[in-house]
Amino acid sequence: MTRRDALIGVIDSLHVEIAALKANDIDALERATQAKLAGLETIAAMGTAPVGPELRELAEEANRLNETCRIYVNLMAANVRRRLQTLTGDAGAGYRPTGGISVYA
């Protein structure tokens, strides 16, 4: 397997990961995450030799997709936090004024 093939595999796994996050499909998310990690391990085993423009572009695409995954996870976590706060009657926990105002002259 070449570094290019491994990067394409990581990108494919990230697409599946995003779809699984959108669908709340935990089993597909687990499989995609494992495939992504295996691809990253393969790439890491190939060393850190300089890469050309094509590999750099593929790595940047993988990074963008990974950032998209991170955003989905953060949105899901915020949604769960809001729901838990609503269920516990602590819906205003995100903002609590201290009651004091400091004024600087």
Side-chain angles (χ1 to χ4, degrees):
M1 175 176 282
T2 66
R3 188 179 297 211
R4 180 183 182 281
D5 293 337
L7 270 169
I8 290 172
V10 169
I11 289 169
D12 290 344
S13 297
L14 285 161
H15 281 292
V16 174
E17 214 173 47
I18 291 168
L21 285 165
K22 286 180 179 179
N24 290 321
D25 186 340
I26 301 303
D27 294 330
L29 179 61
E30 178 65 24
R31 287 189 304 273
T33 302
Q34 290 303 318
K36 176 184 69 176
L37 293 175
L40 290 172
E41 287 177 15
T42 299
I43 294 167
M46 293 178 184
T48 58
V51 297
E54 180 187 17
L55 290 180
R56 187 171 291 111
E57 187 177 316
L58 287 170
E60 288 171 359
E61 175 66 11
N63 192 46
R64 281 190 296 274
L65 290 168
N66 192 62
E67 183 66 14
T68 299
C69 286
R70 187 190 64 76
I71 290 167
Y72 273 109
V73 168
N74 287 346
L75 289 171
M76 290 172 63
N79 190 29
V80 168
R81 181 176 48 247
R82 188 185 80 244
R83 287 180 182 180
L84 288 172
Q85 289 170 343
T86 300
L87 288 171
T88 61
D90 196 20
Y95 172 73
R96 293 188 184 200
T98 60
I101 298 175
S102 298
V103 177
Y104 298 98

